[in-house]
Amino acid sequence: DTGVSQNPRHKITKRGQNVTFRCDPISEHNRLYWYRQTLGQGPEFLTYFQNEAQLEKSRLLSDRFSAERPKGSFSTLEIQRTEQGDSAMYLCASSLLGGAKNIQYFGAGTRLSVL
Amino acid sequence: RKEVEQDPGPFNVPEGATVAFNCTYSNSASQSFFWYRQDCRKEPKLLMSVYSSGNEDGRFTAQLNRASQYISLLIRDSKLSDSATYLCVVNGADSGNTPLVFGKGTRLSVIA
């Protein structure tokens, strides 16, 4: 499968715990994006990378959220001290800078439930 | 004003019907426009890009009116498999793959 891969698919955690999600983009894609989607809403942008550089992070929801892409390949999104309001689907997408019409391809997402 | 606004759903239509979705966007400098489809509890998938000249892909036709900042999607001869949420999506003014801005989506149910 050469699409965007996200792990885990589901995560259940207790309030106050830290969680980390992984995204593996399409191999030749140099841009990687994180979005969050809650029920009844469209995906909401969080942050993105071009290779290993994080180009935008002002939309991260709070300082409890952080993301890395240390080698310009896979990325991780960490949420510290989780709260019930963090329960959502976390989506990763990737694209090729200069590719056709800036099309982004999404992974299947990680569904987080904070109890 | 929200960046991308869509018709509220749900739309419940019989098989074979024609259905139209509308969308407006607030950033007049936006450069790229898309319709994504999202099935229940799945990821969004690109349905089609939207061009100023309008474009058609089988039963699907998308239109863009830059002056009115308006995007539409027309589905002809609806199939049961068209049941999904349709997301209107706009890219930023920067042509270099800036983050997508999504509408809330419009849910379509095609009924036999």
Side-chain angles (χ1 to χ4, degrees):
Chain A
D1 185 350
T2 56
V4 179
S5 176
Q6 291 190 246
N7 288 289
R9 293 292 308 278
H10 304 276
K11 178 70 178 178
I12 300 173
T13 191
K14 292 183 179 178
R15 191 174 50 188
Q17 298 295 306
N18 298 344
V19 294
T20 301
F21 310 140
R22 176 177 168 128
C23 172
D24 288 87
I26 293 171
S27 58
E28 64 268 26
H29 285 185
N30 45 19
R31 286 209 172 181
L32 185 149
Y33 309 79
W34 285 99
Y35 293 83
R36 184 180 85 150
Q37 186 173 24
T38 54
L39 195 62
Q41 303 294 318
E44 174 189 12
F45 167 72
L46 297 178
T47 187
Y48 83 111
F49 295 85
Q50 179 172 311
N51 299 313
E52 65 275 10
Q54 191 171 13
L55 297 188
E56 171 63 65
K57 57 182 179 181
S58 65
R59 305 275 192 98
L60 285 167
L61 299 163
S62 78
D63 58 8
R64 298 184 296 106
F65 287 71
S66 63
E68 293 183 340
R69 194 183 183 198
K71 298 181 180 179
S73 56
F74 74 90
S75 174
T76 57
L77 177 70
E78 182 182 17
I79 309 174
Q80 296 182 326
R81 303 180 304 281
T82 52
E83 301 173 357
Q84 288 185 323
D86 297 333
S87 296
M89 174 76 89
Y90 291 84
L91 292 160
C92 176
S94 69
S95 70
L96 182 62
L97 178 62
K101 286 289 286 183
N102 310 323
I103 293 171
Q104 296 180 21
Y105 298 88
F106 283 81
T110 295
R111 186 171 296 279
L112 173 66
S113 297
V114 182
L115 304 178
Chain B
R1 181 182 174 187
K2 292 188 187 298
E3 291 186 76
V4 179
E5 295 204 61
Q6 295 187 238
D7 280 350
F11 282 51
N12 299 312
V13 303
E15 273 187 292
T18 296
V19 61
F21 302 140
N22 303 314
C23 169
T24 57
Y25 61 95
S26 60
N27 185 349
S28 60
S30 296
Q31 296 292 328
S32 302
F33 309 90
F34 309 92
W35 285 100
Y36 274 71
R37 170 191 168 131
Q38 187 170 27
D39 292 293
C40 188
R41 303 180 78 84
K42 301 282 191 177
E43 74 274 24
K45 292 186 177 177
L46 178 69
L47 178 65
M48 57 198 305
S49 301
V50 188
Y51 304 107
S52 296
S53 55
N55 49 301
E56 186 174 313
D57 182 2
R59 297 180 294 106
F60 299 83
T61 300
Q63 296 276 353
L64 168 65
N65 183 322
R66 284 186 183 270
S68 302
Q69 295 177 210
Y70 171 91
I71 306 163
S72 66
L73 176 68
L74 184 77
I75 306 175
R76 291 181 300 277
D77 188 23
S78 300
K79 311 290 185 192
L80 294 174
S81 58
D82 294 334
S83 297
T85 296
Y86 291 83
L87 297 160
C88 178
V89 188
V90 173
N91 211 325
D94 170 5
S95 60
N97 299 70
T98 53
L100 299 174
V101 181
F102 286 80
K104 291 174 98 170
T106 301
R107 193 154 51 104
L108 171 67
S109 292
V110 181
I111 304 160

